[in-house]
Amino acid sequence: MYSDHATTSLDPVEQLMLELVRQGTGDVGRAAAHHLSAGGARIRARLALHAGRALGRPESESIAIAAACELLHNASLVHDDLQDRDERRRGQAAVWYRFGDAMAICVGDLLLSAAYAALGAAGAGTARLSVRMHRRIGEVIRGQCADLALQGSADVSLESYERVASGKSAPLLVLPLELALTLAGKEEAVPAAAAAGSLFAIGYQVADDLQDVTQDAAHQELNIVSVLAASGESDPHQRARELAILRFRQAHAAATGLPSGSGELLATQATQRADRLSRALEPA
Amino acid sequence: MYSDHATTSLDPVEQLMLELVRQGTGDVGRAAAHHLSAGGARIRARLALHAGRALGRPESESIAIAAACELLHNASLVHDDLQDRDERRRGQAAVWYRFGDAMAICVGDLLLSAAYAALGAAGAGTARLSVRMHRRIGEVIRGQCADLALQGSADVSLESYERVASGKSAPLLVLPLELALTLAGKEEAVPAAAAAGSLFAIGYQVADDLQDVTQDAAHQELNIVSVLAASGESDPHQRARELAILRFRQAHAAATGLPSGSGELLATQATQRADRLSRALEPA
C-alpha cells in the first residue's frame, strides 16, 4: 500500500493544467490561469495521484488523470459561481465578478475542454476514460440544476438534501478513483468507489453548511441546519454534526475496501474530518 | 472521389448525439435534446462524413467525428446566444430565453462534454483527436471573446473584421476535416484544410452580414457593411458581396487540393455560395 501522500508534489499537475489552458487562448487563457493560481486543496488531484500509484500505474498517466479531474472541478466552480452569483472564491474575486459574465462562460468552457485534453496523455486508454468522464459530468450538471431548483424552497426533506449534496459533488470526487481503477482494469470496484465518494460528499456538504449557517440563512440558501430545524429537530446543529460524522465514517469504511489501498487517501480524509467534528461535540 | 453527399443520411449522427446528451441527465438533457431538435444545416457533420468516406475510414469513426463536431458547434451556439442575448435560434426560442441563464450554461457544458465523449467511439485514435479538438476549441473561445470585445466599437478595420470572423467560426469548420485527416494519417494536409476553413468562414460571415444589415445597424452589432462604409467605400454592399465571392472562390481552391477529395464537399459548398452571390450582382 502506498501511503506517502503527504509529500506528493503537485507541480507536474499544475504545470500540465497551465499548459492546457494557455496554449493560444489569449485573454481567456490568462483569466483561466488567474483562477487556477488561487490554488485550493487540490483534493481531486491528490486522490488521483494516490490511487494511480497504489494501483501501480505509470506516473504520467496519474498526472493526466489528476489534471483532468482538477480542471473539471475548476470549470464547475467558475460556472457555479456565475450561476449562484457568488462574488468570492478562495479569497479572491470570482471570475464573473472580476472579468464579466461572458468571460466566465468562456473560462469555464476552456477549463472543461482542457480536462478532456488532459486525458489525451493517457494514450490508448483515453477513449474509455472520456466516456466515463462524460457520464460523471452529466451527473454533476444534473445535480447543479437540482440544487438551483431547491434554493429558496421552504420545505426540503433530509432525503432531498442528501440527494442534492451527493449529486453535485460526489461525481467529481469519485472520478479520480474511477479513472485510475479503469486504467488498472479494476472496473468492478467502481460502484464501491462511487458509494465512498457519495458518502464523503454528503459529509463534506453538511460540515461546510455548519460553517455557513448564519450567512446561508441571510441569503435564504439551502443549509442542513434549516432543513433539520424545519423537520422539527430540537438541536439541529448537534444533529447535523452527528450526521456528518456518520457519513464520513461510512465513507471511510467504503473507501478502505477498494483494491490495493487505492481508496486509502479518501479514507484518511474522511476519518480526519469525522475526528475533527467529534472533538467539536465534546464539552469544552 | 466520393461525391454522393446529397443522399447522406444523418440519422446515425443524430442518434449518437441524442444518446450522449440524454443518458441520466434529467431536465438538462431534455433541454439539450430540445435545442438539437431544431435541426440546422448540420454542415459540420456532413463535412466529417464526407471526408471520412473519401479517406476510406470506417463509417463508425466518421459518425463519431461528425457527432463530435456538431455537438461542439451546438454548445457554442447555446453559450453564444446567452452571451449575445440573442432571443431566437433556428425559428425557436434560444435556450437561455426559454429555460433561463443557469440552464443555458448547463446545456452548453453538457453538449461540450458530449462532443468529447463522441470521440470515444474512435477507439485508439481518441487521444490524438482530443488534443486537436481542444486546440480548436481554444481558438473558438478566443475568437468569441475577440468578437464580444469588438461589438459596439466604431472603428474596426477590415483586417480586424476578417480576423474575428475567421477566429470564431473557422476552427469548428476545419475540425471535421482535421479529425478525419488525422485518423487517416494525413496530418500534413491540416494546414491546407485550415486555410480553406478560414476563407470559407470569412465568406460565410460576410454573406450572413449582408442579410442582417438593417437589424445589425439597429443593435449596433458588428457588420461588414458598416466596416466598409466607415473605411470610405462608396458602395459598401457591392464591395461586401465581392469580398464574400472572392473568399468563397479561394476556399474552393484550397479545399480542392486536399487528399483523396476529402475537401470536395467544402469546395462545393463554397462554389455554390459564390455563384449565388454572383447572380445577385447581375443587373435584374
Side-chain angles (χ1 to χ4, degrees):
Chain A
M1 265 198 285
Y2 179 89
S3 61
D4 190 24
H5 51 76
T7 60
T8 295
S9 165
L10 290 172
D11 290 352
V13 179
E14 301 285 346
Q15 206 177 321
L16 178 56
M17 291 198 289
L18 281 177
E19 262 170 39
L20 288 169
V21 300
R22 288 301 294 271
Q23 49 185 18
T25 48
D27 287 347
V28 189
R30 277 188 287 278
H34 171 82
H35 169 80
L36 290 174
S37 72
R42 302 284 195 245
I43 176 73
R44 290 155 196 82
R46 290 180 196 280
L47 288 171
L49 291 176
H50 174 80
R53 286 171 191 166
L55 292 161
R57 304 303 304 171
E59 188 70 4
S60 62
E61 222 179 46
S62 305
I63 291 168
I65 293 178
C69 295
E70 207 58 57
L71 285 163
L72 211 52
H73 172 59
N74 280 280
S76 80
L77 293 181
V78 170
H79 281 179
D80 287 4
D81 284 346
L82 171 61
Q83 290 173 321
D84 302 339
R85 292 291 173 196
D86 286 331
E87 296 173 6
R88 311 283 302 167
R89 169 65 61 188
R90 294 174 186 150
Q92 66 180 26
V95 173
W96 72 269
Y97 193 74
R98 178 170 176 146
F99 299 102
D101 293 3
M103 186 63 112
I105 293 173
C106 287
V107 168
D109 289 350
L110 180 64
L111 290 164
L112 172 52
S113 177
Y116 277 101
L119 290 187
T126 301
R128 277 180 305 155
L129 302 187
S130 294
V131 170
R132 283 190 175 267
M133 191 151 97
H134 174 59
R135 208 164 297 149
R136 295 295 173 194
I137 290 173
E139 291 174 13
V140 168
I141 293 176
R142 182 181 194 166
Q144 166 70 0
C145 280
D147 184 32
L148 288 167
L150 276 192
Q151 295 298 336
S153 66
D155 193 22
V156 177
S157 69
L158 180 57
E159 197 202 332
S160 294
Y161 173 91
E162 292 208 39
R163 198 172 48 239
V164 165
S166 172
K168 70 176 183 173
S169 304
L172 297 194
L173 280 167
V174 174
L175 195 61
L177 299 176
E178 178 174 8
L179 298 183
L181 289 166
T182 299
L183 285 173
K186 307 269 186 196
E187 287 93 341
E188 71 280 4
V190 170
S198 174
L199 292 159
F200 188 93
I202 295 168
Y204 187 92
Q205 186 61 54
V206 172
D208 197 54
D209 280 6
L210 277 164
Q211 301 201 306
D212 294 340
V213 175
T214 322
Q215 197 186 324
D216 284 352
H219 295 87
Q220 293 201 305
E221 279 179 26
L222 188 64
N223 188 297
I224 184 65
V225 173
S226 50
V227 168
L228 292 169
S231 76
E233 287 289 341
S234 58
D235 189 346
H237 283 82
Q238 165 85 355
R239 180 76 187 80
R241 252 184 230 104
E242 288 165 1
L243 176 65
I245 292 166
L246 175 65
R247 293 292 176 254
F248 279 135
R249 299 265 185 245
Q250 292 170 322
H252 176 273
T256 300
L258 294 176
S260 309
S262 54
E264 197 194 306
L265 179 56
L266 185 62
T268 308
Q269 290 276 334
T271 293
Q272 287 174 351
R273 285 171 158 82
D275 290 348
R276 214 177 301 148
L277 286 159
S278 295
R279 282 195 296 276
L281 278 181
E282 291 162 10
Chain B
M1 266 197 285
Y2 179 87
S3 61
D4 191 21
H5 51 76
T7 60
T8 295
S9 165
L10 290 172
D11 290 351
V13 179
E14 302 287 344
Q15 204 177 322
L16 178 56
M17 291 198 290
L18 280 177
E19 261 171 39
L20 288 168
V21 300
R22 288 301 293 270
Q23 49 185 18
T25 49
D27 288 347
V28 189
R30 276 188 288 277
H34 171 81
H35 169 79
L36 289 174
S37 73
R42 303 285 195 244
I43 176 74
R44 291 153 196 83
R46 291 180 195 279
L47 288 172
L49 291 177
H50 174 80
R53 286 172 190 167
L55 292 160
R57 304 302 306 170
E59 189 69 4
S60 63
E61 223 179 43
S62 304
I63 291 168
I65 293 179
C69 295
E70 209 56 58
L71 285 162
L72 211 52
H73 172 59
N74 281 280
S76 80
L77 293 181
V78 171
H79 280 178
D80 288 4
D81 284 346
L82 171 61
Q83 291 173 322
D84 303 340
R85 293 291 174 197
D86 286 331
E87 296 173 7
R88 311 282 305 167
R89 168 67 61 188
R90 294 173 186 149
Q92 65 180 27
V95 174
W96 72 269
Y97 193 74
R98 177 169 176 147
F99 300 103
D101 293 4
M103 186 62 110
I105 293 172
C106 287
V107 168
D109 290 351
L110 180 64
L111 290 165
L112 171 52
S113 177
Y116 277 102
L119 291 187
T126 301
R128 279 179 303 155
L129 302 188
S130 294
V131 169
R132 284 191 176 265
M133 191 152 97
H134 174 58
R135 208 165 297 148
R136 295 295 173 194
I137 291 174
E139 291 173 14
V140 168
I141 292 175
R142 181 181 195 167
Q144 166 69 359
C145 280
D147 184 32
L148 289 167
L150 277 193
Q151 295 299 335
S153 67
D155 193 22
V156 176
S157 69
L158 181 58
E159 196 201 333
S160 295
Y161 173 90
E162 291 209 41
R163 198 172 48 240
V164 165
S166 172
K168 70 175 183 173
S169 304
L172 298 195
L173 279 167
V174 174
L175 196 61
L177 299 177
E178 176 174 10
L179 298 184
L181 290 165
T182 300
L183 284 173
K186 308 269 186 195
E187 287 93 341
E188 70 280 3
V190 170
S198 173
L199 291 160
F200 188 92
I202 295 167
Y204 186 91
Q205 186 63 54
V206 172
D208 198 54
D209 280 7
L210 277 164
Q211 301 203 305
D212 294 340
V213 175
T214 322
Q215 196 185 326
D216 285 352
H219 294 87
Q220 294 203 303
E221 279 179 25
L222 186 63
N223 188 298
I224 185 65
V225 173
S226 50
V227 168
L228 291 169
S231 76
E233 287 288 341
S234 58
D235 189 346
H237 283 82
Q238 164 88 353
R239 180 78 187 80
R241 252 183 231 106
E242 288 165 0
L243 176 65
I245 291 167
L246 175 66
R247 293 293 176 255
F248 279 134
R249 299 264 185 244
Q250 291 170 322
H252 176 272
T256 300
L258 294 176
S260 308
S262 55
E264 195 194 307
L265 179 56
L266 186 62
T268 307
Q269 290 277 332
T271 294
Q272 287 174 351
R273 285 171 159 81
D275 289 349
R276 214 176 302 148
L277 287 158
S278 296
R279 283 194 297 274
L281 279 180
E282 291 162 10

